[in-house]
Amino acid sequence: MLDLTQLNAKDIALALKEAKLTKDEVSSFFKKRIDEFNPSLNSLIEVFKEPDKGEGSSALASLGIAIKDNICIKGRKITCASKILSSHRAVYEATVISKLKQAGLEIAARANMDEFAFGSSTETSCYGPTKNPWDLERVVGGSSGGSAAAVSARLLPFALGSDTGGSIRQPASLCGVVGFKPTYGRVSRYGLIAFGSSLDQIGPITTSFIDCAHLLNIICGHDAKDSTSAKIDTPDFSKSLNCDCSQIKIGLPKEYFAKGLEPEVKTAIEGVKSYFANKKIKFIEISLPHTEYAVATYYIIGSSEASSNLQRFDGIRYGLRSGCSNLEELYTKTRSQGFGPEAKRRIFLGTYSLSSGYYDAYYVQALKVRRLIKEDFDSAFKEVDAILTPTSPSTAFKIGEKTNDPLSMYLSDIYTISVNLAGLPAVSFPCGFSKNNLPIGAQLIGKAFDEETLIKLGSCFEEGSDYHKQIPPLVVNKKNSHE
Amino acid sequence: MSNFETVIGLEVHTQLNTESKIFCSCPTEFQSPPNTNICPVCCGYPGVLPVFNIKALKLALRVSLALNCKINPSIYFERKNYFYPDLPKNYQISQYKMPLGYNGALLLPSGKKIRINRVHLEEDAGKLIHKEDYSLVDLNRTGTPLLEIVSEPDLSDASQAFDYLTYLKLILQYIRASDCDMEKGSLRCDANISLRPKGQKELGTKVELKNMNTFKGVRVALEYEAKRQAHVLKNNQKINQETRLWDPAKLKTAIMRTKEEAHDYRYFPEPDLLNITVGDDLIKAESSNLGELPLAKSKRFLDDYGISGKELDIYISNINLADFFEEVVKIYTKVKEVSNFLLGPFLEQINNNKEGFSAVKIEAENFSKIVKYFSQGRLNNLTAKKVLSLSIFTNEDIDEIIDREKLTQVSNEDELLAFVSEAIKENPKAISEFNEGKQQAIQFLVGQVMRKTKGKANPKLARQMLEKTIKGGSV
């Protein structure tokens, strides 16, 4: 039998269609890998004994997908990796799940994440941290760390994550896979448990741009159930694969290559630049002058929205309810016992920012800076079609290294956060390895609703590189690799 | 008391007459069993998103226009954050900085102008049902579109507040924006009240009153609170800025929370909804949907039908009755006859029915027959009432009822003669009284004939026949 870890999802689906493989072969192949590697990785919280089967057809039909545990799959548990929801089951289906099923995909597993997506390392999960398949002592990034690790370890061909400030791209970068955050409004948020409603977006995590384009084709599109979903047609993203890129102009924001960037990461991004330069793509240095305020702005807006979004977890109608003798105690005990420390930190921060007397100085000020950040991008995109940056300032750090230093943890997202504040599409893709053999990711940022340029560039890079084909040595199945 | 002047402002919450809720498609039906008109969205399940019901905007706009408000051309929703079990998201989607309507005014029939500060849209909360040692939550009402109408402190006493509420309710009913049924909770009212020495410009410290469940309750609570505050001030004590609850059993207000305990609602723009443009076309459409307002109707009823005084008041305050009246006089044009019958027997039937006008099934054309037959003498007072009572809540055909119940008035001398003779024979005392010149005696005899004919005799004819027979001495 073929070694499916060497194939992308689209080719596996094709082999199935052409009867070169049977469905049982494919599912037992991945089931074996899950059984073998998931216990040490802790990337999947639950693998469904009987996956939810899809009914339609598409280029990816019949394949199983892992879903970050903040997207509702009707009838299944949904916990956001939080104790407060540990017994909760989804009573309805998220729009993206309906779309996946209509495209014939199987909903196979729930993926680990930071609690309520608060984090950059998947260490705040109530299920414990997910470990990096490239080095089990290191983090996978976050918050969609379970999804990224599962795809990186080829436990499943692909996964969905969600990205509020880098939560798809940063773990993709740290795990050596492709993580795409679509334009805000491109994918319906209906059924995604909200963190920062004006920032959240669901997106695919895959091993290649080919799979990424096909998965985007399935999940994008206007949804009447989400008022912020854009009434804009979804192009066939697969048509952007392997196109001519010579007319594309790429901007390099000087602020993204300043202090704090690990030299190995910088070198890898320069490698991407020279690859594209060889393809006659033009590079222009640009400036995004408000970049230094992005992290502060993001933590005020994101936490403000989160503090309000998380108020519904009160023990009244669903989720954890702690024993109590009156209403006040019910709220206090349930929430004190149900939320972990990082969730509490964000709730405090957000509640403070929105409080009367502080609202203007924090929340309103942050909204103004958000507009300036967006305007930075607007003027940059008058000159260029895409922007190239590192995804993360460093490769995967050690588990526990930053848990007691929230500020340094927050800086892990320094290159990804502005994109969410501006609502733009961006993707992280593998572009090299450190001398410790840890993956490095590059980020491409596009104009609003111009995911196509990113797919063109990304697939162009993939054509001439094999970084995305590298499989973590720890999860190379010896039997398979010798066959 | 007389040294102080009372200043009152009212906050009215009224449910809008939409079929579905403001942010989901659940019905707004009032009488369903608890927790049946609910879905993941109005229950605030994790991951749901609100979708705005444009019908609520249209009705809210209509109200704003009826209250002569300026309209914000672009509005947005905000979240009002507070924890309470009847609010499943623990925030209410409301409007704060940019209300739909502002700077309006309501001109009361008395001529007094009450300025309207703002009119804004929000979602209603659910209901708590408190039991002995636990509470139940019913979320049917959660997400019903609610309009908050805030007046300026232009009301100078409790009875003016009562008049304002009465007239505001009438306007809301006229423009078909709300049922305004306080018993169903579709209209609720909180009041702000303060006192100041007569002649002083700046306002005194205000107290917010809650828990008044009827218009009368509002009046009594305000009267009580004005007295209480006057008493405090007379004793040179200070009024505390606080929220007080009206206790309708004890007829007292009691402190609910002080200013220090007031919520910080942490309003911020609702990120799940986009800004809404209130375009000129929408404003134009709702202006034309306003229909006739009470003042205009009053003038027209006076001009077109010559109805005035108390009769006019009844029609103006009862829009359903007025509409029915107009339907009937289109078919049977004798205004006076129609109006007499409507304001008499018809209204009596309605007042005796628990459901009031909404129970009426009779159609104008069918009803007009009763008035016509009565006027023609085919039905008398008694039989007309009987026919009405059999048809008003069923719309059964009048002719069929008369036929079935054999209610046609007997206006035939031959048929009546036997009954007239009997009445005379059995009542010699009445005859002699009549002969002595007591005119009332004849009335008694007419009554006897009516009794014998089970009310069907034409009383006029019976009287003529009785007089003729007694005077002729032919018995």
Side-chain angles (χ1 to χ4, degrees):
Chain A
M1 189 182 133
L2 295 163
D3 180 3
L4 301 185
T5 60
Q6 301 296 321
L7 298 180
N8 61 44
K10 196 213 145 214
D11 291 337
I12 301 173
L14 191 66
L16 272 167
K17 212 180 252 172
E18 291 172 350
K20 288 179 184 159
L21 282 169
T22 68
K23 263 194 83 177
D24 281 351
E25 283 174 322
V26 174
S27 38
S28 69
F29 176 87
F30 285 111
K31 190 184 175 296
K32 255 197 213 152
R33 291 190 64 82
I34 290 169
D35 290 344
E36 188 170 353
F37 301 117
N38 192 52
S40 54
L41 295 174
N42 194 29
S43 63
L44 302 172
I45 302 169
E46 185 190 2
V47 181
F48 304 139
K49 286 204 179 83
E50 307 220 344
D52 285 22
K53 300 225 183 327
E55 287 196 341
S57 64
S58 71
L60 304 177
S62 303
L63 298 181
I65 186 166
I67 306 295
K68 187 178 181 180
D69 202 27
N70 59 353
I71 301 171
C72 293
I73 308 160
K74 191 176 178 181
R76 303 285 187 184
K77 274 190 167 184
I78 176 150
T79 68
C80 287
S82 176
K83 201 178 152 195
I84 207 161
L85 279 180
S86 52
S87 61
H88 183 60
R89 277 179 193 275
V91 297
Y92 69 99
E93 195 100 286
T95 299
V96 285
I97 301 297
S98 307
K99 282 175 175 274
L100 291 172
K101 287 183 180 173
Q102 281 158 21
L105 276 76
E106 278 186 6
I107 314 301
R110 293 160 46 221
N112 202 3
M113 57 185 282
D114 278 300
E115 183 181 9
F116 286 105
F118 299 145
S120 310
S121 64
T122 315
E123 290 170 289
T124 67
S125 165
C126 74
Y127 299 102
T130 297
K131 294 176 185 139
N132 196 313
W134 292 91
D135 179 347
L136 295 179
E137 288 183 3
R138 292 180 185 270
V139 301
V140 282
S143 63
S144 311
S147 301
V151 175
S152 166
R154 272 60 171 182
L155 305 189
L156 289 139
F158 38 43
L160 286 190
S162 71
D163 191 315
T164 307
S167 282
I168 288 174
R169 291 161 286 156
Q170 186 256 13
S173 170
L174 270 47
C175 290
V177 291
V178 177
F180 202 113
K181 183 208 100 76
T183 311
Y184 185 79
R186 187 61 110 171
V187 180
S188 169
R189 293 187 294 116
Y190 186 76
L192 167 67
I193 298 186
F195 159 6
S197 311
S198 73
L199 303 157
D200 296 342
Q201 195 65 185
I202 295 171
I205 295 177
T206 57
T207 57
S208 70
F209 271 92
I210 298 169
D211 291 348
C212 176
H214 285 287
L215 204 45
L216 282 173
N217 277 351
I218 294 168
I219 64 171
C220 292
H222 173 68
D223 178 13
K225 290 182 190 151
D226 175 1
S227 309
T228 62
S229 118
K231 284 184 183 151
I232 192 165
D233 289 339
T234 308
D236 180 352
F237 293 113
S238 68
K239 287 193 174 147
S240 299
L241 293 166
N242 312 109
C243 295
D244 174 36
C245 291
S246 58
Q247 300 304 310
I248 296 176
K249 276 183 269 176
I250 295 180
L252 292 169
K254 59 179 187 200
E255 293 81 2
Y256 283 60
F257 294 91
K259 59 178 192 262
L261 178 60
E262 272 183 14
E264 283 184 306
V265 176
K266 194 174 176 192
T267 309
I269 304 301
E270 276 161 4
V272 178
K273 186 189 161 189
S274 35
Y275 177 88
F276 281 138
N278 283 335
K279 300 274 175 189
K280 304 209 170 95
I281 290 171
K282 251 200 211 158
F283 279 86
I284 298 169
E285 191 188 76
I286 56 164
S287 174
L288 299 167
H290 295 93
T291 300
E292 61 172 309
Y293 305 110
V295 172
T297 303
Y298 169 81
Y299 276 92
I300 289 170
I301 293 175
S303 304
S304 295
E305 292 179 3
S307 71
S308 175
N309 284 330
L310 265 59
Q311 278 171 172
R312 72 189 65 205
F313 306 109
D314 60 4
I316 300 283
R317 196 171 161 79
Y318 46 76
L320 177 79
R321 180 191 283 188
S322 301
C324 63
S325 56
N326 61 53
L327 184 62
E328 185 89 23
E329 206 181 299
L330 166 67
Y331 288 148
T332 315
K333 270 198 178 172
T334 300
R335 291 169 65 83
S336 302
Q337 292 169 2
F339 289 128
E342 185 59 27
K344 285 176 187 160
R345 191 176 290 129
R346 308 269 180 131
I347 291 170
F348 284 140
L349 184 58
T351 305
Y352 183 81
S353 309
L354 291 175
S355 296
S356 91
Y358 302 97
Y359 181 80
D360 288 332
Y362 291 96
Y363 184 75
V364 173
Q365 195 67 11
L367 287 187
K368 287 180 189 161
V369 180
R370 181 179 192 172
R371 204 188 60 231
L372 294 173
I373 288 169
K374 192 174 175 300
E375 286 169 4
D376 282 355
F377 280 107
D378 290 346
S379 50
F381 280 124
K382 281 179 190 152
E383 285 184 80
V384 299
D385 306 300
I387 294 169
L388 175 68
T389 78
T391 306
S392 168
S394 70
T395 52
F397 45 90
K398 288 264 173 73
I399 290 172
E401 190 182 323
K402 296 186 179 181
T403 39
N404 292 321
D405 186 0
L407 270 183
S408 93
M409 183 75 89
Y410 293 175
L411 291 173
S412 317
D413 295 331
I414 192 160
Y415 301 135
T416 49
I417 273 171
S418 299
V419 164
N420 299 74
L421 290 169
L424 302 172
V427 60
S428 176
F429 58 96
C431 70
F433 286 88
S434 71
K435 54 181 185 296
N436 294 337
N437 204 31
L438 294 170
I440 298 169
Q443 174 177 242
L444 282 165
I445 305 168
K447 296 175 188 171
F449 299 104
D450 184 19
E451 285 82 359
E452 287 155 292
T453 296
L454 305 184
I455 294 167
K456 280 179 195 167
L457 287 169
S459 58
C460 167
F461 184 77
E462 254 175 28
E463 272 182 323
S465 70
D466 61 358
Y467 301 115
H468 66 289
K469 289 183 179 157
Q470 302 306 309
I471 296 168
L474 288 167
V475 294
V476 171
N477 189 313
K478 300 205 170 72
K479 246 192 274 163
N480 274 328
S481 61
H482 289 296
E483 270 169 11
Chain B
M1 219 22 222
S2 55
N3 302 327
F4 297 106
E5 153 177 280
T6 310
V7 178
I8 296 168
L10 295 182
E11 282 175 25
V12 171
H13 285 92
T14 184
Q15 290 182 343
L16 294 173
N17 254 341
T18 55
E19 275 164 31
S20 57
K21 294 185 178 180
I22 185 166
F23 296 121
C24 64
S25 55
C26 291
T28 51
E29 169 65 38
F30 165 69
Q31 274 166 325
S32 310
N35 296 311
T36 51
N37 295 335
I38 56 172
C39 73
V41 176
C42 53
C43 289
Y45 269 94
V48 297
L49 295 169
V51 176
F52 181 49
N53 177 356
I54 194 80
K55 181 81 197 292
L57 175 65
K58 290 178 180 172
L59 290 179
L61 186 56
R62 205 186 289 171
V63 175
S64 304
L65 293 168
L67 297 176
N68 306 296
C69 287
K70 292 190 174 147
I71 306 297
N72 270 313
S74 172
I75 58 164
Y76 58 89
F77 285 100
E78 275 151 292
R79 289 187 186 175
K80 179 179 182 179
N81 297 285
Y82 64 96
F83 279 82
Y84 207 62
D86 65 4
L87 192 67
K89 303 187 294 297
N90 287 320
Y91 59 80
Q92 180 192 32
I93 303 179
S94 180
Q95 290 191 279
Y96 184 56
K97 287 207 174 137
M98 199 74 84
L100 175 64
Y102 63 101
N103 281 359
L106 180 62
L107 191 65
L108 300 184
S110 66
K112 169 110 183 177
K113 185 170 127 182
I114 309 300
R115 289 170 302 151
I116 303 293
N117 173 285
R118 59 189 279 137
V119 174
H120 79 241
L121 261 172
E122 58 190 27
E123 57 179 341
D124 207 346
K127 245 187 258 178
L128 292 188
I129 299 145
H130 297 292
K131 302 284 181 178
E132 212 164 292
D133 58 351
Y134 62 98
S135 297
L136 299 170
V137 186
D138 177 6
L139 296 180
N140 277 353
R141 200 177 73 178
T142 310
T144 301
L146 203 60
L147 204 62
E148 182 169 325
I149 301 166
V150 183
S151 85
E152 294 288 353
D154 287 353
L155 299 155
S156 48
D157 60 38
S159 72
Q160 216 170 66
F162 183 86
D163 291 347
Y164 166 82
L165 285 174
T166 310
Y167 196 58
L168 179 62
K169 173 178 166 175
L170 195 61
I171 299 253
L172 294 172
Q173 288 175 328
Y174 264 61
I175 63 176
R176 303 164 311 281
S178 174
D179 292 338
C180 294
D181 192 334
M182 259 187 130
E183 302 207 333
K184 288 188 200 163
S186 67
L187 191 125
R188 280 161 260 159
C189 176
D190 299 335
N192 286 303
I193 172 168
S194 64
L195 263 57
R196 63 181 166 196
K198 272 190 181 160
Q200 181 181 302
K201 267 206 171 160
E202 58 269 37
L203 296 167
T205 306
K206 71 173 176 186
V207 166
E208 186 179 4
L209 294 187
K210 286 180 179 290
N211 199 40
M212 290 87 76
N213 299 318
T214 60
F215 284 6
K216 271 185 199 160
V218 173
R219 182 161 63 189
V220 183
L222 284 169
E223 279 165 359
Y224 171 87
E225 183 61 18
K227 272 184 204 154
R228 188 192 70 84
Q229 291 189 16
H231 189 256
V232 171
L233 293 172
K234 267 184 196 164
N235 290 323
N236 289 324
Q237 288 169 310
K238 267 192 184 166
I239 298 291
N240 297 317
Q241 188 176 335
E242 61 197 15
T243 302
R244 299 178 71 87
L245 278 187
W246 172 242
D247 185 333
K250 293 182 185 155
L251 298 176
K252 275 182 174 177
T253 63
I255 186 155
M256 177 191 167
R257 61 174 175 243
T258 63
K259 189 189 172 191
E260 289 70 31
E261 293 164 325
H263 291 293
D264 178 356
Y265 290 120
R266 289 173 284 119
Y267 281 99
F268 75 105
E270 165 58 279
D272 288 331
L273 291 165
L274 303 177
N275 286 14
I276 299 152
T277 306
V278 187
D280 287 341
D281 45 341
L282 204 61
I283 294 176
K284 222 183 231 173
E286 285 315 313
S287 302
S288 62
N289 278 338
L290 277 176
E292 190 178 40
L293 294 177
L295 277 176
K297 196 183 215 63
S298 214
K299 188 173 180 311
R300 196 167 57 80
F301 266 52
L302 184 64
D303 293 350
D304 291 5
Y305 306 119
I307 292 174
S308 62
K310 270 200 176 147
E311 292 195 351
L312 182 59
D313 288 348
I314 296 174
Y315 283 118
I316 297 309
S317 63
N318 195 334
I319 190 166
N320 292 321
L321 187 71
D323 287 349
F324 190 69
F325 163 79
E326 294 204 88
E327 273 184 66
V328 176
V329 294
K330 261 185 221 152
I331 298 160
Y332 184 74
T333 55
K334 294 182 180 164
V335 168
K336 191 78 195 151
E337 286 173 22
V338 171
S339 187
N340 283 347
F341 204 81
L342 277 178
L343 299 182
F346 188 83
L347 210 51
E348 193 187 335
Q349 288 282 343
I350 291 169
N351 291 341
N352 289 334
N353 190 302
K354 252 192 273 166
E355 288 174 54
F357 200 97
S358 56
V360 171
K361 288 231 173 67
I362 195 166
E363 285 167 13
E365 180 156 14
N366 203 20
F367 174 80
S368 68
K369 287 187 200 164
I370 309 180
V371 186
K372 188 167 77 185
Y373 294 165
F374 179 68
S375 144
Q376 290 169 345
R378 283 173 66 187
L379 291 171
N380 62 37
N381 213 2
L382 283 175
T383 49
K385 275 187 189 171
K386 179 154 190 196
V387 173
L388 178 70
S389 72
L390 291 171
S391 60
I392 183 165
F393 304 122
T394 62
N395 195 32
E396 191 183 345
D397 185 73
I398 300 303
D399 294 318
E400 276 173 27
I401 295 175
I402 292 174
D403 213 37
R404 191 184 66 225
E405 305 283 326
K406 302 189 173 59
L407 290 175
T408 314
Q409 186 158 281
V410 181
S411 299
N412 181 314
E413 285 198 32
D414 293 345
E415 282 179 52
L416 276 186
L417 192 60
F419 298 109
V420 168
S421 308
E422 250 178 62
I424 291 172
K425 216 179 268 171
E426 290 167 8
N427 297 286
K429 198 176 164 212
I431 310 296
S432 51
E433 280 175 1
F434 178 74
N435 286 332
E436 283 161 23
K438 280 194 182 163
Q439 287 294 315
Q440 304 97 295
I442 198 79
Q443 204 49 51
F444 171 75
L445 290 167
V446 171
Q448 293 304 304
V449 175
M450 295 306 286
R451 200 167 60 89
K452 287 174 189 298
T453 57
K454 293 189 180 129
K456 285 186 289 184
N458 179 338
K460 234 180 183 174
L461 184 63
R463 187 189 180 105
Q464 282 171 9
M465 288 174 71
L466 282 163
E467 284 179 0
K468 201 170 139 196
T469 315
I470 298 168
K471 279 178 190 157
S474 64
V475 177

